[in-house]
Amino acid sequence: MRTTRKPNDAKPTGTDWDRVKRESAADVPIAYDPATDAEREPYDPNDSAAVAAYWSAATVKRAPGRPPVAVKRPTLNMRVDADVLAAFKATGPGWQTRIHALLREAVEHGRLKS
């Protein structure tokens, strides 16, 4: 039986957060062997000075994101019949672009009346 989530409920992650909290509260040293872990770990997690030095030198790299456009399109909120929307959504990804193309074609061919 499926359980339903409320919109504000967090998505399950598969992480045992109770265990994470218990282990964090216990303050048990993290297993680290310099002979084997040094080549794949950037620092000893039990050495607070090494941790602080590593994170103070860290930088945030952001993805480039959406490229800027010459003319920004305004946002439009429009009500349409449910069957019309369902027909466009049924055509798959890019349905908003197809609506835009149809509207542009109507404007360019003078099909709109005032």
Side-chain angles (χ1 to χ4, degrees), residues 1 21 44 51 54 66 79 83-84 91 99 103 113:
M1 179 175 159
K21 291 174 188 173
D44 179 355
V51 172
Y54 177 80
R66 192 171 193 153
R79 294 184 186 272
D83 59 329
V84 172
T91 63
I99 291 175
L103 292 171
K113 297 179 183 173

Side-chain angles (χ1 to χ4, degrees), residues 110-114:
R111 294 187 189 136
L112 300 179
K113 297 179 183 173
S114 49

Side-chain angles (χ1 to χ4, degrees), residues 63-83:
R66 192 171 193 153
V69 293
V71 178
K72 185 177 180 199
R73 293 189 213 167
T75 301
L76 168 69
N77 293 321
M78 181 173 81
R79 294 184 186 272
V80 296
D81 294 335
D83 59 329

